[in-house]
Amino acid sequence: MEELAKEAGITARTVRFYRERGLLPPPRREGRIAWYDDHHLARLRTIAALLERGHTLTGIADLATTFESGRDVGEVLGLGEPTEETPVRLTPEALADYFEGEVTPENLATALELGYLATDGDEIVHISRRLLDVSAALVREGVPLSAVLEAGRQVRVHADALADLFAAMLSTHSADAGLERLRPLAKSVVEAELSMAMDRRIRRAPEAAENAQQAGQSS
């Protein structure tokens, strides 16, 4: 314990306190000797980094519990399965930097449930660089992370329905072509339709604002 504390730059008393609070997993024991390893050191450094970012010990304990109850990376990513998405490996403090002030146990649990995040030892894996960057950009625009995650949940329902539509069309009319070949065409259709749907809403925005203003004046 003293060697671990020295490596982490804290006191043995602090290490003992973290163990009692459930922030640090128990050491491996051989008789009366307790062995700590790099996993414990990484956890201590993560605790220190999160404390510097304003998290409380209670909050860090909740985050740790949520992480440990999440699925591992192999289960979420489905190793060996085809994907166009690029996973991203993050430390817990790096994730906190992406979503400053928004990494709560509730949001973390939702992201783990959706399969956006997985655990791999002391690292976190996000399933998609694109989703990570877009989610962070939306949060910077003032959208709460909880709202971003809920939107992602709803989008997935519609995305699954669209994928089923194109898969059924392929099996009916082009059985010789594989889904992998169809993927770029399906994505182009969906992207174009979404773009035109956004166009319609952008055109409606000034009219809606004008109607709201007129309603306010008449009242």
Side-chain angles (χ1 to χ4, degrees):
M1 183 183 292
E2 291 179 357
E3 292 173 355
L4 176 68
K6 183 178 179 180
E7 285 289 326
I10 57 178
T11 65
R13 182 178 179 182
T14 300
V15 174
R16 190 174 295 107
F17 174 72
Y18 287 164
R19 277 188 53 194
E20 293 170 353
R21 291 289 299 270
L23 290 165
L24 197 66
R28 176 175 58 86
R29 291 195 173 274
E30 291 184 0
R32 299 179 62 183
I33 302 176
W35 293 100
Y36 294 89
D37 55 25
D38 290 340
H39 172 76
H40 295 93
L41 182 58
R43 176 65 66 88
L44 289 176
R45 288 173 174 166
T46 293
I47 293 170
L50 292 176
L51 286 172
E52 288 180 0
R53 287 159 174 78
H55 291 264
T56 65
L57 286 176
T58 299
I60 294 171
D62 290 340
L63 290 173
T65 300
T66 305
F67 273 127
E68 289 166 1
S69 64
R71 292 175 291 174
D72 65 36
V73 64
E75 181 183 357
V76 170
L77 296 181
L79 299 181
E81 295 182 5
T83 180
E84 290 184 342
E85 299 306 309
T86 303
V88 183
R89 289 183 174 273
L90 300 160
T91 61
E93 53 267 36
L95 182 67
D97 288 341
Y98 257 94
F99 303 102
E100 187 171 353
E102 293 281 329
V103 178
T104 64
E106 294 77 18
N107 286 336
L108 187 59
T110 300
L112 288 165
E113 175 198 346
L114 288 169
Y116 288 163
L117 297 179
T119 57
D120 188 14
D122 293 309
E123 287 187 313
I124 303 162
V125 179
H126 196 290
I127 62 168
S128 169
R129 164 65 72 182
R130 289 192 293 180
L131 280 177
L132 175 63
D133 290 343
V134 170
S135 299
L138 286 169
V139 169
R140 289 194 296 270
E141 290 292 333
V143 182
L145 182 56
S146 58
V148 174
L149 292 170
E150 180 55 33
R153 187 192 300 277
Q154 295 181 41
V155 166
R156 179 172 294 178
V157 173
H158 296 293
D160 280 336
L162 288 167
D164 287 342
L165 185 154
F166 282 104
M169 181 180 68
L170 177 64
S171 64
T172 301
H173 300 290
S174 185
D176 293 336
L179 281 174
E180 195 66 24
R181 284 177 54 192
L182 178 69
R183 188 205 300 249
L185 302 177
K187 286 170 54 180
S188 294
V189 172
V190 173
E191 184 177 348
E193 285 290 351
L194 178 59
S195 179
M196 290 188 290
M198 294 299 293
D199 287 344
R200 292 191 289 272
R201 279 147 186 79
I202 292 170
R203 287 194 294 267
R204 291 175 196 162
E207 181 181 348
E210 182 178 349
N211 291 338
Q213 184 178 10
Q214 290 175 353
Q217 290 174 348
S218 61
S219 62

